[in-house]
Amino acid sequence: MLILGIETSCDETSAAIVEDGRDVLSNIVYSQIEDHKEWGGVIPEIASRLHIEKIFPIIDKCLQDANKTFADIDAISVTNKPGLIGALLIGVNVAKTLAWVHKKPLIPVNHLFGHVYANFIDSDLKPPFICLLASGGHTQIIEVKAYGDMEILGETIDDAAGEAFDKVARLLNLPYPGGPHLDKLAQTANDKSKYKFPISKVPACDFSFSGLKTAALRLKEKITSADPKEWEENRANIAYAFQDCVARTFHKKINEAIERTGLNKIVLAGGVAANSGVRSLFKDSFPAEDLAFPSLKYCTDNAAMIAAAAFFEKENQIKPNEKLDFEVYSRV
Ligand code: KG4
Ligand code: ZN
């Protein structure tokens, strides 16, 4: 089954064609990072305007790259939640229009579950497993009991892990989005034990990152007021200590989830799953056969994961003769 996926929930405009949820024929991603950089974050109005400009050329290129036409496509899928409302509306209205014009079934997809299903791409992974989803807006532990059957075991009570990465990266004077830059800087640390941040004490499978963010800010204030040179010389060591604290937090919470569910298969998803410190702690802690990550290009936002999710949740499809009246939601 060939599914065309469309993703416009935040600052990536993307279209992909995926066969049977696992084989990517094409995946085109236009990242708007350069367009938002000077504001230090995503500006929703700019995001919506760029999605309008880019979406049709990207869908055309996606079909061309896969050497397919709409006649070959079995269904269209689109992210309808969560995300920026204006941005979601562009993708959803384009998808509804294409589904109507070409008389194709349409499958609305929860972006967060898309991140989970990214793990099925180029892999033979099967449920049940535990998934740690860490992105710019969400941090959750999900029990994937079967295809389409997921239970959220815990989530952040304040900031998402990606948000904490981006804010601490800003303290370190790194460009937006800071996560990947902080990751690179941490790899150059020359004294990995110089600083240590404590793991939050939030119980069970829930997370909290706002205390860690504040601790990083206080450390910066303390060091710079005493000796600004010390701050400059230790930026990489501080980046390392922050990243290490997030990785240890993930590790602790995954162990809680293992205990709670009795499952030992662990899967990471979302932009922060691209982090080298998180990946290496997990690789060192769990047997390779119990651990899965999406490849780096499917960790951050992309339409291939939306088309993959749609294949495994195709019972949610709206058939060509049915009313296309589903909505977009900023939250889930
Ligand atoms: O999943 P994603 O692309 O978009 C959302 O759905 O939010 O995640 C984006 C987040 C950003 O906060 C970005 O800084 C973070 O993922 N990120 C990373 C890395 N690559 C992306 N954080 C830490 N290390 C990385 N290598
Ligand atoms: Zn995402």
Side-chain angles (χ1 to χ4, degrees), residues 111 115 135 300-301 305:
H111 179 87
H115 277 297
S135 69
T300 47
D301 290 351
M305 69 186 194

